[in-house]
Amino acid sequence: MSTPPTPLSPDTLPDNDNVPGNHYAYCVRLDGRLFMQTGRMIAYYPGPGGQPIRFEPLSSASIGGMVATRFSAPLYTRDWVVATGAGHLILGDRGYDINSYDLDDGNLTLRASNLLAFDETLELKQSIVPGFLTLIGTGKFLASSSGPVIFAEPPIRVDPQALVGWADCPSPSHHYDATWMTGFLHSAMGFLGSNSGEERQFDFTGAGTVLLQSSESGVHDPHLLRQLESQIGGLGTPGLQHLQGVIAQQLARER
Amino acid sequence: MQPFRLHGTRILEVDLRGGSVRAATGSMIAYDGDVTFKNAGMGGGDGLRAALKRRATGESIALMQCSGTGVVRFAKDAMEVLLVELAGDTLRAESERLLALSDGLSTDVAFAGLRGASSGQGLFTTTVSGHGVAALLSAGGPPIALEVSPQYPLVVDPDAFIASQGQLNQTFVTDVSWRTLVGEGSGEAFSLRFDGKGVVYIQPEER
């Protein structure tokens, strides 16, 4: 019979690396503060003195000032906490691959649901692309992905679902397949359902790096809905009525 | 005792050799030879008292008895399989993470403190004791074994807990405040703290 995994302890756990033999769990050597997504702690060893690590919501008074200068993504505040204390903190994210990255005086944009944790030295902002967050500054962050992350250089067009994030290059624009556009202009194909499923891509240009995941099954993102919701304010009554019609049609089709 | 071995990391193979093994109902994926499968009964084959306790505590367990000759293969939802050997000691496991138990192991229900009241993981835990091998399941990736010693206590998310083994004292830590009620909780409102000496197995995915 095969033996169970060798038990790990603070003496054998890595400092800031994946748990040995496990892409799906990551051990952070915490000493200070870390921004992390709510509920991603799977276990921790308290540091010397046995003081428990505290997980504080961003609205907590003791960290409020620091949060306000570091975290400017109001839509996402409820999904993040600050872990404070010392010890070995093990994180898991629904069985997705977890990797750490270093950002050196740079900026990097990630799909919000793929960003797992980041150092307090980094600054977080909501990207102009819905569902994405931008990290600015110098520090470490953790990202989860469905399958390993692949790095690519622009110019490149990627499937929106496979996109994890991008660094240094300008924000992407939408690219629509030429034949699909022709059909759309003649208002035929697009509405008759003759879609290949690949008619829309994100188009990256300029110098930088694009991060892709090997699976198109994206991480479910509850924030996207909220972001869309926050944008309907500017539509006015006619716009809202129109949107209602569109949604009703879509619902009828999906049933 | 039947030899338990892994085929890859997600399939358990058991050579029955005329003996029997208890496994989670519906977990058989293939077998050869002459094997009969029968429901192990209300209490998972541990008698009426255990059955009533399970009924009362909600720590339900659905086991089947597989006996005969041949090799039976078990798997569940492509979860990773973890084999834990027991030599007269007791394993505390999450009932839904049990895949198979060799002959010579019995299960019971123990009060585990107010564990995981938020996640519905129940106030009770299943104990496995005796001599033999228990096959457990880990979702989201390979299981992680963490050592607990007097020097290093451990805190675990109940949703990631699979099993614990050894002389461990388990306490329930709450971090509930008015913020939890308005939806701005710490996300770790309930956790398990282990003190003593032993090993705790966890999985990378929160249920």
Side-chain angles (χ1 to χ4, degrees):
Chain A
M1 74 169 254
S2 54
T3 49
T6 322
L8 297 162
S9 73
D11 296 329
T12 49
L13 274 169
D15 290 352
N16 303 316
D17 201 355
N18 285 85
V19 172
N22 208 320
H23 301 295
Y24 315 98
Y26 190 93
C27 181
V28 177
R29 182 70 190 268
L30 187 68
D31 190 12
R33 287 170 176 155
L34 178 79
F35 281 94
M36 59 177 266
Q37 251 196 52
T38 309
R40 298 292 177 240
M41 179 275 281
I42 55 172
Y44 73 83
Y45 283 105
Q51 278 296 315
I53 293 176
R54 276 177 300 139
F55 299 91
E56 291 179 277
L58 299 187
S59 53
S60 175
S62 65
I63 52 167
M66 187 273 290
V67 167
T69 59
R70 291 283 150 213
F71 196 100
S72 59
L75 275 177
Y76 295 87
T77 49
R78 287 192 170 197
D79 307 292
W80 286 82
V81 290
V82 174
T84 313
H88 287 81
L89 173 63
I90 303 175
L91 303 176
D93 187 8
R94 300 157 289 174
Y96 290 97
D97 284 47
I98 301 173
N99 281 298
S100 83
Y101 303 84
D102 285 300
L103 200 58
D104 184 14
D105 194 19
N107 78 82
L108 183 136
T109 305
L110 272 178
R111 187 182 292 278
S113 51
N114 286 100
L115 181 61
L116 182 58
F118 62 94
D119 280 352
E120 62 166 331
T121 53
L122 288 167
E123 211 177 312
L124 184 82
K125 294 190 187 297
Q126 234 164 272
S127 166
I128 203 154
V129 182
F132 284 80
L133 294 170
T134 302
L135 286 170
I136 301 165
T138 301
K140 245 184 197 319
F141 67 92
L142 297 178
S144 52
S145 58
S146 180
V149 168
I150 299 149
F151 297 90
E153 268 177 42
I156 189 172
R157 290 183 185 141
V158 304
D159 187 285
Q161 286 160 327
L163 181 66
V164 174
W166 63 91
D168 303 328
C169 50
S171 289
S173 49
H174 286 299
H175 172 82
Y176 292 94
D177 192 67
T179 37
W180 185 85
M181 269 316 285
T182 318
F184 183 80
L185 292 173
H186 297 143
S187 54
M189 272 158 64
F191 300 102
L192 295 175
S194 65
N195 295 339
S196 66
E198 303 287 2
E199 54 282 329
R200 188 176 73 112
Q201 295 111 32
F202 280 165
D203 196 346
F204 285 93
T205 52
T209 311
V210 180
L211 283 70
L212 306 170
Q213 59 188 4
S214 49
S215 159
E216 283 194 19
S217 70
V219 183
H220 170 69
D221 182 10
H223 319 296
L224 194 58
L225 182 67
R226 242 179 292 157
Q227 188 142 5
L228 291 174
E229 241 176 68
S230 73
Q231 286 175 352
I232 60 175
L235 287 176
T237 316
L240 285 173
Q241 276 165 349
H242 175 75
L243 196 60
Q244 194 173 26
V246 173
I247 291 170
Q249 260 180 23
Q250 186 69 32
L251 277 176
R253 215 175 304 150
E254 283 184 15
R255 271 191 210 113
Chain B
M1 188 190 95
Q2 303 78 33
F4 275 42
R5 60 173 185 265
L6 294 184
H7 182 89
T9 57
R10 297 167 196 221
I11 297 174
L12 169 72
E13 285 185 351
V14 182
D15 191 351
L16 289 176
R17 294 180 191 166
S20 73
V21 64
R22 280 185 294 156
T25 307
S27 62
M28 188 276 288
I29 54 165
Y31 73 97
D32 51 56
D34 184 16
V35 182
T36 55
F37 299 90
K38 81 174 209 291
N39 192 315
M42 273 197 343
D46 287 302
L48 188 63
R49 193 162 170 273
L52 290 175
K53 247 159 122 183
R54 292 199 179 282
R55 217 31 187 294
T57 57
E59 186 76 6
S60 65
I61 187 168
L63 292 177
M64 59 182 177
Q65 185 101 24
C66 319
S67 40
T69 53
V71 177
V72 193
R73 291 153 190 94
F74 301 99
K76 197 172 175 186
D77 297 338
M79 287 191 269
E80 304 260 343
V81 181
L82 162 72
L83 298 181
V84 179
E85 221 165 332
L86 289 170
D89 50 337
T90 300
L91 182 78
R92 283 165 171 265
E94 198 51 60
S95 65
E96 59 191 58
R97 287 292 171 269
L98 275 181
L99 178 64
L101 301 168
S102 70
D103 246 357
L105 291 181
S106 61
T107 64
D108 200 351
V109 178
F111 185 66
L114 291 164
R115 178 154 64 82
S118 67
S119 55
Q121 292 306 318
L123 310 178
F124 299 87
T125 193
T126 292
T127 60
V128 180
S129 50
H131 290 263
V133 185
L136 303 167
L137 294 160
S138 166
I144 303 162
L146 296 170
E147 196 181 315
V148 179
S149 57
Q151 182 190 359
Y152 296 126
L154 176 71
V155 180
V156 165
D157 183 339
D159 292 338
F161 175 77
I162 302 174
S164 67
Q165 191 177 17
Q167 299 303 312
L168 290 173
N169 183 23
Q170 182 179 322
T171 46
F172 181 62
V173 187
T174 51
D175 177 23
V176 185
S177 66
W178 60 272
R179 289 182 194 283
T180 316
L181 302 177
V182 297
E184 290 185 5
S186 60
E188 312 293 354
F190 303 94
S191 44
L192 290 169
R193 186 186 161 105
F194 292 92
D195 293 275
K197 196 154 175 48
V199 177
V200 176
Y201 298 97
I202 58 168
Q203 62 180 23
E205 185 179 321
E206 311 95 337
R207 272 179 284 263

